[in-house]
Amino acid sequence: MAPEKPFSQACENNKQPILERIRHIFTSPGTILEIGTGTGQHAVHFASSLSHVVWQPSDRPGATGFSLGWIEDAALPNVLPPLELDVASESWPINCIDGAFSANTAHIMTWEEVKAMFTGLAKHLDKGMPFCLYGPFSYGGIHTSDSNRQFDQHLRSQAPHMGIREMDDLLELAERAGFRLENDHQMPANNRLLVLLKL
């Protein structure tokens, strides 16, 4: 029996706007690590249009099966089987990567996991390679919309470690890990796409 194909309306809504940005970032052949693949909708959509890259999905231990329905149904030659990746682990189960992408993870992870994500990527990306981080962020302690403020309250009511991240805190963390902000793109639905380059 084929795996089920879980569906995220948010992924469906944002996949094309994200693709229109990352197609100008992931321009060279290579392997792109996706952290927090989720349903697999992004992986399939991006890889089908970016045939020059190999897309490496990953998710936290125990969650990789969530994406199998989309990945196996698409059967794209440039999408690898999803890896179990605990970002807080000292050793990541990857070899060479040429870029990274993650969507809607920073506000779900603990802050220590966000730190670990940047630290781990810094170890695996060479100078000049990009990390694209998509999601909602606040600026100077102010949310960019009332819907983001409500979403932040909803997240914090679910678990105290969750919440929309403050851009100043995130950029300080990124710089300490060895990244600099190249671009901060405004995206639909009050989200952003941060393009960070390894120093």
Side-chain angles (χ1 to χ4, degrees):
M1 180 181 296
E4 292 183 9
K5 293 174 67 175
F7 180 81
S8 164
Q9 188 61 54
C11 284
E12 192 65 21
N13 294 345
N14 65 37
K15 66 183 185 182
Q16 189 60 29
I18 295 174
L19 174 62
E20 291 307 317
R21 291 293 186 182
I22 67 172
R23 69 164 68 251
H24 301 293
I25 300 164
F26 300 137
T27 56
S28 301
T31 299
I32 306 301
L33 173 68
E34 180 181 12
I35 296 177
T37 295
T39 63
Q41 287 165 260
H42 279 161
V44 167
H45 187 70
F46 300 159
S48 65
S49 295
L50 305 175
S51 58
H52 60 285
V53 305
V54 175
W55 201 264
Q56 175 60 76
S58 74
D59 219 318
R60 65 191 186 282
T64 54
F66 201 53
S67 63
L68 287 178
W70 284 89
I71 292 172
E72 292 182 1
D73 188 54
L76 294 170
N78 61 328
V79 177
L80 299 175
L83 291 174
E84 287 198 344
L85 173 61
D86 175 2
V87 293
S89 172
E90 285 292 320
S91 178
W92 286 16
I94 58 173
N95 294 315
C96 181
I97 59 171
D98 305 287
F101 171 82
S102 191
N104 293 320
T105 53
H107 56 266
I108 301 297
M109 294 176 174
T110 67
W111 186 239
E112 289 304 313
E113 288 172 326
V114 177
K115 290 181 183 178
M117 175 170 63
F118 275 94
T119 301
L121 286 173
K123 293 177 182 177
H124 289 88
L125 291 172
D126 288 337
K127 182 178 179 180
M129 290 181 175
F131 170 36
C132 295
L133 181 63
Y134 174 89
F137 305 100
S138 61
Y139 293 78
I142 300 172
H143 292 294
T144 58
S145 69
D146 190 56
S147 62
N148 277 7
R149 180 187 60 79
Q150 293 176 25
F151 180 50
D152 183 56
Q153 290 177 344
H154 171 69
L155 289 169
R156 294 177 190 279
S157 71
Q158 286 189 307
H161 73 265
M162 298 198 297
I164 291 178
R165 304 305 178 187
E166 164 62 39
M167 184 61 70
D168 288 343
D169 295 338
L170 200 63
L171 292 185
E172 181 182 352
L173 168 60
E175 289 169 8
R176 285 204 308 268
F179 290 88
R180 69 171 174 84
L181 182 67
E182 176 75 2
N183 278 301
D184 177 357
H185 296 292
Q186 184 173 348
M187 302 295 286
N190 303 303
N191 287 303
R192 314 292 297 190
L193 181 69
L194 309 183
V195 183
L196 301 123
L197 299 183
K198 175 69 169 60
L199 295 172

